[in-house]
Amino acid sequence: MHLSSFKKLTLSATVSLAAIAALPSQALAQDTGDSEAEETTGVGTIIVTAQRRDENVQDVPIAISAFNQEALEARGIANALEVAQFVPNLVGLNNTGLGTANAYYLRGIGNTESIATFDPPIGTYVDDIYLSRQNANNLSLFDVNRVEVLRGPQGTLFGRNTTGGAVNVYMNDPGDEVAGFAEIGYGSYDQIMGRASIDIPLADSFSIKVSGYFQDDDGYAINNLADDRTNENDGWGVRLGLRGELSDSVTWKGSYIRTFADSANVLNFDCDPTDPTNCDGRFVSTGFTEDSNLISPVFGPLLTGDKANFGLGNEATMDFVSSNLEVGIGDDWAVNIITGFVDIKQDFALDFADGRGLPSASNPIPPVTGFTFGGFTIANEGSHTQFTQEIKFTGSIADGLIDIVGGVFYFYEDNRTDFGDIFSLNLGPGGPPPDGFPLLLADRVIDNTAEAWAGYAQADVNLTDRLTVTAGIRYTDETKTFEIRDNRPRLGGGLCQAANQFGPSTCIDSENLVAANGRVIPREQSVDLFTPRFAINYQLDDILLFASATRGFKSGGWNARGTSPGELLPFGPETAWSYEAGFKSDLFGNLVRLNVTAFWLDVSDLQAPSAFIRNDGSLAFLTRNFADYENRGLEVELTTVPVDGLNLFASLGYQDDEYNIDQNAPALDEFGVQSVAAQQAACLSQLAAGLIPNVSGPDNAAACGVGIVSPDGSLAEPVRTPEFTIAFGGSYDIDLGDFTFRPFANANWRSDSEVGTSELTLFDQPVTGPSGTVFPANTLGLGDPIDPASGSFSEARWIVNGGITLAHTGGISVTAECRNCFDEEAVESALANFSYLNPPRTWIVRAKFDF
C-alpha cells in the first residue's frame, strides 16, 4: 500500500463517518460486565480499560487485541511473550542472552536493549502500573484476568515510551467466596511446574487472594564441551491480592508480587559446534559455564565486585506493590489514587560469542576454542527502583453529553548498573593458559535517574446517540541524569588500567565524557512536550466505524554500552504520529466478530540500536537517532463461534515500512558523528573503488554494513517488520456426559525479515580485495548463507502449537500440550554475525483441580 493510497483511505473513512453522522440515529445499549464471556452463545464480551475506564472492547475506537482468561488458556499462553504470536504486526522475542526480558516490535517500533539508559517503546503495565525496565517483563501469567495489547502510540492516556503501543496485564481480583485451583505438571527437559490460587473472604466487605507458581527444568541447550546444559527456565512467584469495599462509594484494591526468574537465552546452534554431524537438539560450546567465575589464575579477578564471581546465567528478582483507591462522587464521577512501587535486581554473566572469536569475512566459522571466560562476556549487577503516583478522575457531564478522563501522573526511577566487558583474544600456543587472553574492555558503574510529571485529559463528546468525537492531550515534563564511574585501578591524570589490559586508557568517568570532536557530552537531558489525540467514531447498527490521529514520544538516553568515554553519546527522544481508520463489528447475531484497522505511522528521530565489530575484533554498540521512519499497514482480526463449543480465530497483519533520511544534513552532527546521508555517499564511493564491506585491514569499505547502511550501500531494511504476519486456530468443546473433551490448535506465520540493523549476513563465496587479500566470505550476498554464522536474515516460518484437555464436572482436568510442535527453527535476533534462534519444541502434561 503506497503512502498516497493510505492517506486517501484515511481521508475517505473520515469523510464517510461525517456523512453517516447526518443519518437518523437511535440509542444503542452498551455492553457491561466483567472480562468473562457474558453471552451463552456467540463471541463473548471482554471489558477493557484502554481508555482508562471500563468499556466493551468493541466500543473502543482503538486498535486492541484483548485476551481474557478463557482465551489465554484456549491458546496455551503461559507467559507474556507468547501473546505476541496472536497479535497482528507484533513480533516478540527474548533479548539476546536474557530469558527474563521481552522485547516487542509493534508496527516496526521496538528496542532490544535492557540497560537502564534505554527505554522500551512498547510500554508494559501491570494493574495500571508502568514497568519501565525490560529486565523482568516476561511475566508468567499465573494469576491473570486479561491481557490487552494496544497497537499504535498511546501518548495521551498512557504517556511516555509508548510510540509503538502498550501491553497491559490485569490481575484477578479476590473473590467473595472461598475458591481457587491447584495445578501440577511435568514436561520436556525434565520440567516440573506448579500453580495454585485461593480466594479467602475475611469479612463481608474484605477479601484476599493468595497465588503462586514455580517451574524448574534442566535447560534445552547441551554443552558437550563442558558436559553441561543451559537455557533453563526456572523461577517462582507469589502474589497477595487484596480487595476491600470500604463503604458504598469507596473501594480499595492492593497487590504485592514477588517473582524470581533464572532464565537465559544463551547463543545456541541447531548442530553441535564440537561435532557438526550431530544436529539432534540445541548446542553451545562455550568454556564459560554456570559453575565458572571471572577470576584468572594469572591476573586474579578480571572484574571488580561480586560480578567477578558470576557464572554463566541470568537471574532477576522483582518486587511489585500496587494500590488503587477508588472514591465514587455522586452517580457520574470517580477518583482513583493509583500508587506503584517496583524494585528489580538483576545479575547475569553471558557469553555472546560461544567461547570463541566472532564470525567475520576473514574467519566466517571461528573454530571451537572453549575460552574459560567466554569469547565476549558481559557481567552485570543491576538494581532498578521506580515509584509512580497517579490521580485519575472519570465522569460525565450534561446528562452524558461529554465523558471525561483526566488526571496527573508522577514517575521517578533510580538505576544503578555495575557491569564489565571481557573479550578473549587467541594469542596462539604462546599465549597464557587456557589458550586465550581475557582482555578487559571496560568495568564501570552507571547511575541514572528519570523524573517525569504529566497532566492529561480526554473528552468524548457524544454529539448523537451514534456519533462521538474525541479530543485529548497530555503534557509531560521529564528530566534524566547520567553519571558513570570507572572501576579500574587509577593511575592518575585521568588514566585507568587493569592487569589484563594493554596499556592505560582514559578512565570512563563523568568528568571525562568528551566526544571525538572535543564536545563535552551532557549528563542531563530534559524534555517537555504535548502529545494530543483526536478521534471520531460512529455506531452503525452492529458496526463501529472510527478514525483517529495520535501522537506519542519515547525518552532519549545515552549509549551506555560504549567502552570508551567518546562512545557514550546521548541520543534524543523519538516522536510518532499515528493515523488510523477502521471498523469493529459483531455480526450474525454475535456469531462473528470482525475488526479491521488501517494505519499510517510517521516517526521522527527513530532510535535505532546497532552493533559493529571494531578493528581489534571486539564488539561495539551504538544507538543514534539515525533516521525518520514510516510504516503503512493493515490489521485484521476475526473471531467466530459458528456452533456451540467451537471457537475459531484468525488474524492478519500487513506492513510496508522504510527509513527516511535528510539528504541535505550536515556531514557531521554536533558530536562529530557522520550523518547517514554522508555515510551512504562514502559507502558508495568505497564500493566503486573496489573496497569490500565488513572485512579487516586496508580493503575494508568502512562506511558500509554499519548503522542503517547495508553492505551494498542502500538503506537497510527496518528490523523485525515482516511484511505479513498470520495467525489462526481454534478449540472445540465436546460434551461427553460428566466430561468435556477439548482439542485445541493454533499456528502463526511471518514472512521474511531482517533482525539486524545493518543487514549483515555472511555468505560463502570468497572475495578478493584491492590489496590482493582473499577473504573466504562476504556480506554482499554472493553465494549461500554460512551456517551457523548466518547473520541477520530471518526466513519465513510457521510455529504450530496444540493440545488436548479432558475436564470433569467435579473440577478436575488434565491437559497435554506442545509448543512449537514441529520444532521449527527461526532466527529471532542477531549479534555480531551470530544468529539467535527461537526456543525448540517443548511439551507438558498438567493436572488441575478447581474448587
Side-chain angles (χ1 to χ4, degrees):
M1 181 183 297
H2 295 292
L3 179 59
S4 59
S5 300
F6 186 85
K7 288 181 176 178
K8 292 178 181 178
L9 174 61
T10 305
L11 179 61
S12 175
T14 305
V15 172
S16 298
L17 287 173
I20 293 172
L23 299 174
S25 61
Q26 190 173 22
L28 296 177
Q30 179 175 322
D31 292 323
T32 59
D34 60 24
S35 65
E36 298 299 322
E38 293 181 340
E39 293 83 359
T40 56
T41 60
V43 181
T45 297
I46 300 179
I47 300 301
V48 299
T49 55
Q51 295 192 118
R52 308 302 306 280
R53 60 175 181 258
D54 291 346
E55 295 176 288
N56 180 353
V57 65
Q58 291 300 95
D59 295 335
V60 181
I62 297 174
I64 309 170
S65 298
F67 307 89
N68 60 13
Q69 212 168 359
E70 183 179 23
L72 294 171
E73 292 179 358
R75 303 187 193 194
I77 298 173
N79 58 56
L81 184 61
E82 293 174 350
V83 173
Q85 299 181 37
F86 306 102
V87 179
N89 290 329
L90 175 61
V91 173
L93 67 151
N94 280 139
N95 280 7
T96 52
L98 304 177
T100 61
N102 291 351
Y104 299 106
Y105 278 72
L106 185 50
R107 296 179 178 176
I109 303 299
N111 194 317
T112 56
E113 265 292 0
S114 60
I115 197 167
T117 59
F118 303 83
D119 291 317
I122 312 297
T124 299
Y125 293 78
V126 177
D127 286 343
D128 289 327
I129 305 300
Y130 172 57
L131 299 183
S132 60
R133 297 293 109 224
Q134 290 187 149
N135 308 62
N137 68 345
N138 190 15
L139 306 168
S140 292
L141 305 180
F142 68 100
D143 197 14
V144 167
N145 178 270
R146 69 184 186 280
V147 178
E148 304 172 11
V149 180
L150 281 56
R151 307 193 297 273
Q154 306 297 320
T156 302
L157 296 180
F158 291 91
R160 62 197 297 273
N161 301 333
T162 55
T163 48
V167 178
N168 299 336
V169 178
Y170 293 93
M171 310 300 286
N172 281 314
D173 291 333
D176 296 325
E177 300 177 352
V178 175
F181 73 90
E183 182 179 41
I184 58 172
Y186 177 81
S188 49
Y189 311 109
D190 284 331
Q191 180 190 15
I192 56 173
M193 60 81 65
R195 299 190 306 165
S197 179
I198 185 171
D199 296 328
I200 306 174
L202 300 180
D204 290 341
S205 60
F206 190 81
S207 57
I208 65 173
K209 175 187 285 286
V210 181
S211 307
Y213 79 96
F214 78 92
Q215 58 193 38
D216 183 87
D217 64 63
D218 293 340
Y220 64 77
I222 304 168
N223 187 341
N224 286 320
L225 188 69
D227 191 24
D228 197 10
R229 302 183 74 97
T230 189
N231 284 4
E232 67 281 359
N233 185 18
D234 304 337
W236 55 266
V238 293
R239 175 179 181 251
L240 174 64
L242 307 100
R243 180 177 61 86
E245 305 291 338
L246 306 184
S247 72
D248 291 341
S249 60
V250 179
T251 301
W252 177 73
K253 297 178 183 178
S255 183
Y256 170 70
I257 304 173
R258 182 176 177 84
T259 63
F260 170 79
D262 180 359
S263 182
N265 179 30
V266 174
L267 176 68
N268 60 94
F269 306 95
D270 56 355
C271 294
D272 188 354
T274 67
D275 178 12
T277 63
N278 179 13
C279 299
D280 185 17
R282 296 289 184 86
F283 303 92
V284 301
S285 60
T286 179
F288 186 64
T289 69
E290 183 179 354
D291 296 326
S292 298
N293 57 44
L294 295 168
I295 301 175
S296 166
V298 176
F299 302 110
L302 303 179
L303 299 172
T304 59
D306 292 339
K307 61 184 184 293
N309 297 301
F310 291 175
L312 183 70
N314 166 57
E315 296 181 353
T317 302
M318 181 176 69
D319 289 285
F320 174 95
V321 180
S322 67
S323 171
N324 189 334
L325 179 67
E326 179 173 302
V327 180
I329 303 174
D331 295 331
D332 298 324
W333 289 88
V335 175
N336 292 78
I337 303 173
I338 305 169
T339 307
F341 174 78
V342 182
D343 180 69
I344 296 175
K345 300 289 192 300
Q346 184 180 37
D347 296 336
F348 68 77
L350 298 169
D351 177 13
F352 293 92
D354 195 44
R356 47 183 159 159
L358 296 170
S360 66
S362 301
N363 190 13
I365 306 180
V368 173
T369 53
F371 286 143
T372 303
F373 305 113
F376 175 67
T377 300
I378 297 178
N380 180 100
E381 185 176 12
S383 176
H384 314 281
T385 61
Q386 69 168 74
F387 171 77
T388 58
Q389 182 64 66
E390 182 176 12
I391 301 176
K392 181 192 71 171
F393 60 87
T394 57
S396 61
I397 59 178
D399 293 328
L401 176 64
I402 303 176
D403 296 320
I404 296 177
V405 177
V408 293
F409 176 82
Y410 174 74
F411 170 84
Y412 182 78
E413 180 183 22
D414 189 2
N415 302 287
R416 182 180 179 85
T417 309
D418 183 353
F419 68 115
D421 309 61
I422 295 172
F423 179 66
S424 293
L425 300 175
N426 191 343
L427 302 182
D435 194 24
F437 185 95
L439 177 65
L440 177 65
L441 301 179
D443 186 0
R444 64 287 203 200
V445 175
I446 292 174
D447 291 292
N448 64 290
T449 67
E451 185 175 30
W453 292 88
Y456 63 92
Q458 176 175 294
D460 298 325
V461 182
N462 304 302
L463 298 179
T464 72
D465 292 334
R466 294 176 180 261
L467 177 66
T468 300
V469 295
T470 299
I473 194 165
R474 188 184 191 101
Y475 173 75
T476 301
D477 187 336
E478 179 178 276
T479 300
K480 287 187 168 185
T481 66
F482 175 82
E483 299 289 339
I484 190 168
R485 186 183 72 255
D486 207 310
N487 291 327
R488 296 174 295 174
R490 308 281 167 152
L491 300 179
L495 298 179
C496 292
Q497 183 182 3
N500 56 328
Q501 281 185 299
F502 296 117
S505 59
T506 303
C507 295
I508 310 177
D509 289 331
S510 296
E511 56 269 23
N512 293 330
L513 297 184
V514 179
N517 65 352
R519 184 181 178 90
V520 175
I521 297 173
R523 305 199 304 269
E524 181 175 304
Q525 296 188 44
S526 296
V527 62
D528 57 282
L529 77 172
F530 291 93
T531 47
R533 177 173 184 262
F534 307 97
I536 182 173
N537 65 86
Y538 185 81
Q539 186 74 55
L540 178 65
D541 295 330
D542 296 326
I543 300 175
L544 177 73
L545 305 173
F546 66 91
S548 67
T550 308
R551 191 187 191 207
F553 90 98
K554 178 174 178 283
S555 302
W558 287 266
N559 189 51
R561 291 205 182 275
T563 57
S564 65
E567 292 181 351
L568 303 178
L569 297 175
F571 50 88
E574 69 180 29
T575 57
W577 273 102
S578 176
Y579 308 94
E580 296 182 353
F583 67 84
K584 297 185 174 186
S585 63
D586 285 324
L587 308 173
F588 309 112
N590 206 43
L591 296 180
V592 175
R593 174 169 295 166
L594 176 64
N595 297 340
V596 178
T597 304
F599 70 88
W600 171 38
L601 178 64
D602 186 10
V603 180
S604 299
D605 299 317
L606 179 74
Q607 298 170 9
S610 181
F612 62 94
I613 300 176
R614 300 184 182 94
N615 291 333
D616 64 3
S618 63
L619 191 62
F621 298 91
L622 178 66
T623 293
R624 301 290 293 162
N625 301 100
F626 280 124
D628 296 335
Y629 173 80
E630 288 187 10
N631 195 357
R632 289 80 59 184
L634 186 71
E635 295 160 349
V636 180
E637 294 181 293
L638 172 69
T639 306
T640 180
V641 184
V643 297
D644 287 348
L646 179 60
N647 292 269
L648 304 175
F649 71 88
S651 67
L652 166 70
Y654 165 78
Q655 52 190 338
D656 177 15
D657 64 341
E658 62 184 355
Y659 294 125
N660 292 318
I661 63 172
D662 181 1
Q663 296 290 350
N664 299 315
L668 301 176
D669 68 11
E670 58 181 324
F671 296 104
V673 177
Q674 191 177 41
S675 71
V676 176
Q679 177 192 344
Q680 188 177 23
C683 171
L684 294 173
S685 176
Q686 292 165 5
L687 293 175
L691 298 179
I692 303 170
N694 308 114
V695 301
S696 57
D699 296 325
N700 184 33
C704 304
V706 178
I708 62 168
V709 176
S710 66
D712 66 2
S714 62
L715 286 182
E717 179 183 325
V719 296
R720 298 184 182 89
T721 54
E723 186 176 12
F724 290 100
T725 56
I726 297 173
F728 61 86
S731 62
Y732 187 36
D733 291 345
I734 304 172
D735 189 4
L736 301 174
D738 290 337
F739 292 88
T740 299
F741 179 68
R742 171 187 284 183
F744 59 92
N746 55 74
N748 64 91
W749 178 82
R750 67 178 185 230
S751 54
D752 295 344
S753 65
E754 284 286 337
V755 299
T757 53
S758 308
E759 288 191 25
L760 290 185
T761 294
L762 291 172
F763 295 84
D764 62 5
Q765 180 173 312
V767 291
T768 302
S771 69
T773 302
V774 177
F775 300 94
N778 71 90
T779 60
L780 291 170
L782 305 176
D784 296 321
I786 292 175
D787 186 54
S790 57
S792 67
F793 180 69
S794 179
E795 293 184 349
R797 93 297 183 268
W798 281 102
I799 299 294
V800 177
N801 313 296
I804 54 174
T805 296
L806 183 64
H808 187 265
T809 54
I812 298 176
S813 62
V814 177
T815 299
E817 62 184 353
C818 63
R819 296 182 176 88
N820 191 10
C821 299
F822 298 113
D823 204 20
E824 181 79 3
E825 295 167 358
V827 174
E828 299 286 350
S829 190
L831 192 61
N833 297 325
F834 272 132
S835 300
Y836 282 72
L837 302 176
N838 64 320
R841 174 181 52 235
T842 60
W843 59 265
I844 192 169
V845 178
R846 297 180 283 113
K848 184 179 181 182
F849 175 58
D850 292 291
F851 59 89

